[in-house]
Amino acid sequence: MKMTERSHHLVQINPWEEQDLDLLYRLNSPEMMEHLGGPETEEQTLNRHKRYLEHDLVGRMFSVQLLPNLESVGSVGYWPKIWKEELVYETGWSVLPAYQGNGIATAAMKIVIEEAAAENKYPYMHAFPSIDNPASNAVCRKLGFQRIAECEFEYPPGALMRCHDWRIKLNG
Ligand SMILES: CC(C)(COP(=O)(O)OP(=O)(O)OC[C@H]1O[C@@H](n2cnc3c(N)ncnc32)[C@H](O)[C@@H]1OP(=O)(O)O)[C@@H](O)C(=O)NCCC(=O)NCCS
């Protein structure tokens, strides 16, 4: 196993790679993007893939592989954000429909939280799931995020989404 791979029993996460573009297309379906402003265009998807490959520059994105056969089943990651005048990490997750409901997002995010905490950079990680996204809000709750407030969040750019602001302490 490469140094950059981290695994728990259910999944492993790998830094985003060139070959993960196919996974990104599969994550960009209408069903998957229901709470994220709908599917992105071809150009937006290719730009997203390029950003994901830039790793440490604009955050860290990972593909999620199911053990033991290493099928690619989703994406997780985190990136810096200024929130209420403080530098924090924002995080996000996606798991393909056929694999949902098996604890995969939660297992992958446990590894992500460990990675972000090990950096010892920012004290908090936030997630902003839409108030209409029960699965994503459940993932926050299961991971021990605390619900801070309801807020209006611009996503995708130009559209307002009502979200819950969840946060977990990474250090200290
Ligand atoms: C959100 C998402 C990543 C969850 O992935 P997952 O691997 O199924 O997540 P988990 O299995 O770890 O946990 C899901 C939890 O949501 C719960 N859940 C699912 N649908 C639910 C619903 N309609 N109402 C209440 N809880 C629900 C599950 O019961 C489970 O909790 P439990 O283990 O306590 O039973 C997945 O649904 C997804 O990719 N959705 C589309 C993309 C998206 O919305 N991403 C999040 C943007 S903030």
Side-chain angles (χ1 to χ4, degrees), residues 10 27 29-36 73-76 90-97 99-109 127-130 132-143 155 161 163:
L10 184 60
L27 293 171
S29 67
E31 183 183 5
M32 288 296 298
M33 299 298 280
E34 182 190 347
H35 300 294
L36 297 164
V73 296
S75 66
V76 286
E90 181 179 355
T91 182
W93 43 72
S94 290
V95 170
L96 290 168
Y99 298 92
Q100 290 174 9
N102 297 302
I104 292 174
T106 306
M109 275 304 300
F128 299 96
S130 158
D132 303 321
N133 190 343
S136 205
N137 283 288
V139 169
C140 291
R141 199 171 298 115
K142 286 200 292 179
L143 287 165
Y155 196 86
M161 189 186 280
C163 297

Side-chain angles (χ1 to χ4, degrees), residues 18-80:
E18 200 56 66
Q19 68 189 32
D20 294 321
L21 179 59
D22 176 57
L23 171 64
L24 194 56
Y25 282 126
R26 287 189 289 145
L27 293 171
N28 190 39
S29 67
E31 183 183 5
M32 288 296 298
M33 299 298 280
E34 182 190 347
H35 300 294
L36 297 164
E40 293 189 324
T41 63
E42 172 74 12
E43 189 187 356
Q44 286 171 322
T45 307
L46 291 173
N47 283 338
R48 177 176 293 279
H49 179 56
K50 219 171 122 202
R51 276 200 316 278
Y52 283 8
L53 288 171
E54 284 170 0
H55 291 301
D56 298 331
L57 291 178
V58 280
R60 299 180 68 200
M61 288 305 299
F62 304 86
S63 61
V64 179
Q65 270 99 41
L66 193 56
L67 295 171
N69 295 328
L70 303 184
E71 301 106 309
S72 292
V73 296
S75 66
V76 286
Y78 58 95
W79 51 92

